[in-house]
Amino acid sequence: MNYSFKELKVFKLAFSLAMEIFEITKGFPKEEKYSLTDQIRRSSRSVCSNIAEGYRKRRYPKHFTSKMTDADGEASETSVWIDFAFHCRYINKEVQDSLNERYDEVGKMLGGMANNPGKFLPK
């Protein structure tokens, strides 16, 4: 595996989700700018940055595993913010379910990576 982290399916999905969240949150009320809007944008982007950091240091399995579990934690946090956005009526149920289903997929992929760091060692 000598390709870039940007070619990983999980990175592509997480990046796409972060950009979708960015677009969605443009419609959030201004009073949410320094709370929900910033938090959901930060956590969704952090999924991607943790994947990138961990993949670059994949020759160290413990560091790689740590970063993949950090990314998974950020994905879970993003799902919580998605639920808040739904309950505050900023997004509808269809959007909530769609985002959460895809974040579940991200989490499963990250879990697989964290549990099998040897598959990602540079050659």
Side-chain angles (χ1 to χ4, degrees), residues 63-110:
H63 185 79
F64 176 83
T65 297
S66 176
K67 284 298 183 178
M68 293 310 113
T69 57
D70 288 349
D72 189 29
E74 294 291 344
S76 294
E77 180 183 341
T78 303
S79 288
V80 171
W81 294 123
I82 290 166
D83 292 343
F84 274 110
F86 170 72
H87 287 285
C88 291
R89 297 188 178 110
Y90 302 147
I91 60 174
N92 64 37
K93 183 71 172 155
E94 183 179 317
V95 171
Q96 178 197 27
D97 289 345
S98 174
L99 290 170
N100 279 332
E101 284 171 16
R102 287 179 285 157
Y103 270 108
D104 285 346
E105 184 179 345
V106 166
K108 288 175 187 172
M109 286 189 271
L110 291 169

Side-chain angles (χ1 to χ4, degrees), residues 5 8 11 46-57 68:
F5 64 87
L8 295 170
F11 180 85
S46 188
V47 176
C48 301
S49 63
N50 277 295
I51 293 168
E53 288 178 43
Y55 193 77
R56 287 288 187 193
K57 294 192 177 181
M68 293 310 113

Side-chain angles (χ1 to χ4, degrees), residues 12-37:
K12 290 178 182 179
L13 179 55
F15 190 89
S16 172
L17 282 162
M19 292 307 301
E20 187 173 342
I21 284 171
F22 173 72
E23 292 300 326
I24 290 167
T25 58
K26 286 180 180 180
F28 285 10
K30 290 196 187 291
E31 62 265 19
E32 291 287 6
K33 180 172 173 59
Y34 298 107
S35 53
L36 180 58
T37 302

